[in-house]
Every structure is written in C-alpha cells, then in structure tokens.
Amino acid sequence: MSWWAALPAIATAIALLLIPGLLFSAALRARGPLAVGLVPMFSVALAGVTGIVAAFLGLEWSVLTFVLLSLVLCAIAFGVTRLVDARFARTFSPRLDRYSVTAALAGLAIGGAASVYNISRALGAPDNIAQRYDNVYHLNAVRYVLEEGQASSLTLGRMVNPDAGIAIYPAAWHSFASIVAQLSGQPIPVAINALNIVICSLVWPLSAVLLTRVIVGPRPFAILFAGIFSAAFPAFPLGLLDFGPLYPNLLSYSILPAVLAVVVSVLRSPGRSGLSPIGSFIALAAGLAGLFTAQPNGFSALLALSLPPLVWRWWTWARTGYRSGAARSLVVPGVVGAVSATAFVAVWQALLITGYDNWLPFNDSRWDAIGEALTSAPHGRDAAVVLGIATAAGIFGILKGRAPLWLLGVFAVAVLLYVVAANEPRGLVRMALTGSWYQDPQRLASLLPIPTIVVAAFGAALLITSGRRLVQRILNADGSRQRVSAILAGTLTLAFVALGALYSQRGPIDQMVVATHLNHTYAGNPTILSPAERELLERLDETVPDDAVVGVNPWNGSALAYAFSGTEVTQYHMGKLSADLSLIARELDAADAASEACAVAEELGVEYVLDFGSYYLLDRPLAHSYPAFDEADGAPNYELVDEEGDARLYEVTNCG
C-alpha cells in the first residue's frame, strides 16, 4: 500500500486533532501563542472527556457523538467564560510579532517534514504494524471501541476484564484511532499509523514550540529551533513507536509541553497569559483531563516538571513577605507551602504503581547515565552532537541569567528521573521517584526531550546571535563595512540553521529509524504476524460466523483475529488464563462430546481454533500453555477450514 492511499486517513487525523480544539480555544477567547499552541491539547481533552460522558449517557461512540458532545462542552466553556469574564477587566492582549510567527511556521514546517520523512521510513508502509508486545492490545482495543461503541477511559479495560464494573485504561488515543478508521474507511493499521504520524509531526512540534515561546519569550531563533529539534530526538517520539509501542504515552507526552506552558503562563503573569483567569482555570483543567485520558503518567510528569517553577514562584512570594516584615505576610506563605507540599506528596504517592517492579536498571555507572541524559543519547545510543552542543550553550546561557533559572531545574528533574531509572538499584528510592512510570527507563528517556528541547533551542539561539555579533564586530570594526558585515552575518546565520537542521537528523536518528523499521516489517525477530498469518486473518470474517468465538494463543499473534476481522477470540492480549480457558487450551484438540473440555468450549462459544504454531513473540512460560491451539495438525476434534502457508484455521467438530 502506498502512502498516497493513506492521505485520507492522515487528513482525517489532522482534522480531529485541530478543529475541535480550535473551537474550544475560540470559546475561551484565548489570545496570543496560547490560542494556537493549545489547540491539540484541547482536542485530546475533548476526546477523552466526551468518551466518558458518552458511555455515562449510554450513547454509542462515533464521530457524530464526538462532534455533538464537543460542541456542548465548547458552548459551556463559552458561556462560563463570558459570564465570569464580565467581572474582570481585560488588561492585556498579547500580540504575535511577525518574526516569531515566521520563525514558528518555519520551524514547524522543517521539523514536521523531517518527522513525516523519518516515520514513513520507519514504518515502511502505511498498513504495517508494530511487531511488538503492546500492539496486540492497542490494535484489539481500537476494534473494541468500534465494535462495542464505547470509548471511555473508565471501561476500556473491560476488553480483557469483561466482568469489571470499572476497568480503567486511558482511551483518548484509541478514541481518535477508531474515528479515523470510521471516517476514512481504512483498516485499523492504516488509521493507527496515520494518527501517529500526525501526533509526531504536528501535535508534538506545536506543543514544543509553544512551551519554548512561553519560557524564553519571543526569540525567533529559539522558536525556530524548537520546531526543528522536535524531529531530532531518537528517544521521542520515535522511541515510543519502537518500544512497546506506547501509543497512549506518545499522545500524552505530545501534549504535555502545552499543559506545562499553561502552568508557566499562569505562574509568571496571571491575567497576562492570553487567557482570562477563568479561561486559565478551564484550560488547565482541560490539560489535566487530556493527560489523564491519554496516559496518566503524563500527569505524573507534569507534577515533576512543574515543581521548579512552582517552588520558584512560592519563594518569590515568601521572600517578598519576609522583606515586608508583616506577620501575615510571613505566616500565609508558610502555611500555603506546607499544605501544598503535603498535597503534592499525597498525590505523588497515589500515582505510584507499587505492584510492578519488573523493569531493572541497566547502566552500571551513574555518570554514564548522566552523560546520556545531557547528550540526548539514552540507553547507550550515539550522542546527538548538535543537540549536545546546543544544550550545553543553553545551560551556559541560563546560568548567565539570560533565561529563567528554574528552567535549569526543570531540566535537572527530567535528568534525575532518567538516571534513577537507569542506574538506581531496586528499592525504596527508585520506587518512590519513578514508580509512576513502572520504573521504566524507556518511558523516562522519552520524557527527557520535553525540557531539553527548550534548553537546546535557547542555546542554538544564543550561538547564532553571538556568532552574528562577532562577525559584525570583526568586519565592521571601523564602521565602514556595515552592509558587508550584515550580509555575511545573515549568510552565516542561514548556513548555521541549515547545517543544524541537517545534522540534527543524522546519526542517532537514522539508527533509530532503522531499529524501528525492523519492528514494523516481517524481518524482525520475533514477529507477531507473518504475511501468511495476516492474509488468513484478513479473510476470517468470510469463513467464521459472526457469533462464533475462535480459540487463540495471544503469544503467537492469533489474538489479532479480532483487530483484523472483528471475530471474537478467547483472549485479546497476553495474560494469565482462567481455569476454563486453561482447560480447553490443553485438551480441546482431542476432546470428545462427553468431555469437560467440550462442555467448557460450548459454554464459551468456542467453535474454531487458529493454529499459528509455536513461534512466540516472547518465549515466556505462559506462551507454552496452549498445546491444543499450537499443535493442531491431525487433531481428532478439528477439521481444517482454511490455511495460508503454515497458518491454519480449524473448526471444532466433535463437541456439537
């Protein structure tokens, strides 16, 4: 399949991630950079919230449901903003200067194009799937939303736990993917890849540019390089397409800079951020809703990265009270600080995933881990030279007072979290600091680019402006060559930008593209599906009745029968087997009508079995628990119905 054929799905994803958010931004009467930069964040929040509301109201999830409920929420936001804003005088209307706008557009165009190029190479074709563990769940979950008409983050987990009243699993990404598939008419793999390309090349760059603009101000070169560098990190977004894949994390981290920008804007100058006080409150609430319904550890990341500016703002307030000498001015900041710290610790503790301790540290040297974080080369990858130089320049500029010192604190928090996950041994410290991310170094490596992109973009701007001044000073020492020095400085600036953009895409990025490509083709080892297995699944709805259930071993990819054809299967993801399922997975192949295995199969509706052999995605003990499904050739209870290569579909014949 060509990428041209995927354009309708890509266009659909762009519309879904922009239009609802634009309406919500207009409803809040947002101004300045926030009016545009927050648009994808608002769209994600609307998808997450409307999915929950639709389920509560008993409405089937569809594009119509999404549109109608989004319009209702926009109307509510508009009404509340107009009602409350009438009590406040609008004292500030931020303006977008043309140089910053031009720089933002150029950066977004360059970075977005680079991301599209890299990701299209990594995926190989728009209908390829990630041949990875988590993708069994994600593909099936998109089908589940389409089949069940439910896109609530409170109930999506019922796909693997159908008896649960509340089965929480963040559903915003799956909500978008299902609508892309609905509107474009494309298969689920194409819809997923189209959505991810838009998230990587539009949502993430726009959020990164906004955060950079909010923190370092209207510096055109910093804004330009924020867009360019959005495609320069191997850890994110490419890293999350390769590892897992962690699609919900991809969406959550992509809007995280925008939510952080709201926090910084409100802390820095309340009422002068481009949003009214009530608008700021609604925007922050929307951002939190978006993070929670995309992937809650995005909220954990927001807490961690917001800590330095929050502490800085509190310290400024407390110091002002101390200088005034008034008793109230001393007590109130102390009480607020104590209450806030207690609340922070309580919320942080509640977000820890204490029952999971499988991801181990991998780096024996703490200094190596620190070096990896500083050079944007986590997990022992080659150093990203351009990013490393720009980051060093940015740190120097921050220390010289040319940007807020707390920005260095935000960067240090991200570095600390990665180093702890990569190097700290199992124990209380590692769990307390990184438990919200399953103590997973990969998830925290993917968090590093969020503060790094601001520091590096700021550093690149400093290098350019310093170089321009040096050239002009040398060539125009006597004031007689002003025109020549200006032309040469401009030429060198363009050359620096071009080389920075070019070389930021070489080395580590190319390596990451190659690694990701291997996991999106049939050349990887192991793979979820072979070409023959996929071909058999894609025609399964022609051979299996609608009400039949197919026995599958999810470890060999056969559980994806649900994603590709809508056929119900015995398991939708890898996990423990129930007693009944364990019985038929062991004995159904040789069972007779009077056996317990046949009685269980009849109760569960299992009428067919998919035999994809014993080539497992992960060779875990559980993968070997399905001998009746994996070694079906010649089984007395089965009759061959369809086959493709080594993949076979059998009908259960003796249990009727």
Side-chain angles (χ1 to χ4, degrees), residues 552-567:
V552 298
N553 179 348
W555 297 89
N556 63 17
S558 53
L560 287 172
Y562 184 60
F564 281 91
S565 68
T567 302

Side-chain angles (χ1 to χ4, degrees), residues 117-118 121 231-234 382-387 498-512:
Y117 174 66
N118 290 332
R121 287 191 298 148
F233 294 91
D382 291 346
V385 177
V386 172
L387 286 174
L499 290 174
L502 177 64
Y503 281 98
S504 69
Q505 298 302 306
R506 305 300 300 273
I509 287 293
D510 281 334
Q511 294 168 11
M512 194 73 241

Side-chain angles (χ1 to χ4, degrees), residues 417-574:
L417 291 173
Y418 171 73
V419 171
V420 168
N423 174 259
E424 184 71 21
R426 277 176 164 172
L428 180 61
V429 172
R430 193 168 189 265
M431 172 60 74
L433 291 179
T434 64
S436 293
W437 295 270
Y438 302 92
Q439 305 180 62
D440 179 9
Q442 182 63 53
R443 284 174 171 85
L444 291 164
S446 298
L447 185 63
L448 279 169
I450 291 172
T452 303
I453 198 169
V454 181
V455 176
F458 174 63
L462 289 181
L463 290 173
I464 289 178
T465 53
S466 298
R468 285 168 57 92
R469 289 170 184 166
L470 180 62
V471 168
Q472 290 178 321
R473 188 180 302 120
I474 293 174
L475 293 181
N476 197 35
D478 58 359
S480 61
R481 287 180 279 184
Q482 185 173 354
R483 182 180 180 85
V484 174
S485 65
I487 293 174
L488 184 57
T491 302
L492 291 175
T493 297
L494 290 175
F496 187 93
V497 171
L499 290 174
L502 177 64
Y503 281 98
S504 69
Q505 298 302 306
R506 305 300 300 273
I509 287 293
D510 281 334
Q511 294 168 11
M512 194 73 241
V513 166
V514 171
T516 306
H517 182 69
L518 284 177
N519 290 318
H520 281 79
T521 66
Y522 301 104
N525 184 25
T527 60
I528 297 176
L529 291 179
S530 68
E533 291 168 346
R534 178 166 177 167
E535 190 170 340
L536 180 62
L537 293 185
E538 287 176 341
R539 63 173 183 258
L540 206 61
D541 55 351
E542 302 172 5
T543 52
V544 175
D546 292 340
D547 59 347
V549 177
V550 178
V552 298
N553 179 348
W555 297 89
N556 63 17
S558 53
L560 287 172
Y562 184 60
F564 281 91
S565 68
T567 302
E568 289 191 53
V569 294
T570 48
Q571 277 182 286
Y572 297 94
H573 192 44
M574 297 81 153

